[in-house]
């Protein structure tokens, strides 16, 4: 019986984490940012300029490390050692995993916010529809100003008359007859 109970507990959906505020997450992210070695923000032009060199093929880099290890002259000319360069390669690979996780987290946060906005928009549109029906009754006249504002801001449904009136119709240009050939 204890085996069954542990299987059920292991397969159970984990309890949701305690809700946190967006502000506390921002504070934590800023604290983490301060711990990231070489963290920097660069202008777009600078990142574009770095692009091609930063994406040298990994096999090319390994061949360069091999050349550095073979020749002290090369090592002296480039101002680094094969060990330092290999350590940088390994570190960049490990930080690439962090990049992937942060992108996934950003996508998750963006999707959660999209879901919130969708829920908010759906409730607001439903509120508008219900309010439109209720204002037909004198008992709900207090909703009239709200319905009026919602109607003027509604991007869904029929086009607003004000928008149609503000755009004057432009007549079609009359093609001019070509000049007679002499």
């Amino acid at each position: 019986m204890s085996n069954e109970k542990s299987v059920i507990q292991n397969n159970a959906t984990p309890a949701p984490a305690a809700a946190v505020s967006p502000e506390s997450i921002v504070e934590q992210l800023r604290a983490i940012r301060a711990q990231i070695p070489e963290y920097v923000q660069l202008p777009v032009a600078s990142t574009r300029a770095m692009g091609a060199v930063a994406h040298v093929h990994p096999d090319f880099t390994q061949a360069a490390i091999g050349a550095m290890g073979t020749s002290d002259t090369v090592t002296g000319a480039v101002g680094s050692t094969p060990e330092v360069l290999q350590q940088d390669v390994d570190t960049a690979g490990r930080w690439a995993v962090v990049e992937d996780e942060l992108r996934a987290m950003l996508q998750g946060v963006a999707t959660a916010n999209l879901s919130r906005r969708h829920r908010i928009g759906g409730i607001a549109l439903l509120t508008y529809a219900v309010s439109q029906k209720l204002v037909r009754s004198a008992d709900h006249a207090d909703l009239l100003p709200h319905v009026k504002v919602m109607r003027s801001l509604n991007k869904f449904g029929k086009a607003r008359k004000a928008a149609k009136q503000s755009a004057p119709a432009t007549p079609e240009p009359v093609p001019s007859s070509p000049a007679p050939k002499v």
Side-chain angles (χ1 to χ4, degrees), residues 19-85:
V20 295
S21 71
E23 294 80 10
S24 69
I25 295 294
V26 169
E27 187 178 314
Q28 291 174 40
L29 289 172
R30 289 179 178 160
I32 291 170
R33 180 177 64 197
Q35 298 172 25
I36 298 173
E38 300 181 53
Y39 177 89
V40 67
Q41 295 286 337
L42 295 173
V44 173
S46 297
T47 56
R48 283 187 183 144
M50 297 171 85
V53 176
H55 291 94
V56 168
H57 195 281
D59 292 341
F60 183 91
T61 302
Q62 289 304 317
I65 290 170
M68 289 172 65
T70 303
S71 170
D72 290 339
T73 304
V74 172
T75 301
V78 298
S80 187
T81 65
E83 295 79 22
V84 169
L85 187 54

Side-chain angles (χ1 to χ4, degrees), residues 99-114:
E99 282 184 76
D100 293 342
E101 282 298 318
L102 288 171
R103 277 190 198 95
M105 183 179 288
L106 175 60
Q107 184 61 45
V109 170
T111 302
N113 228 12
L114 176 65

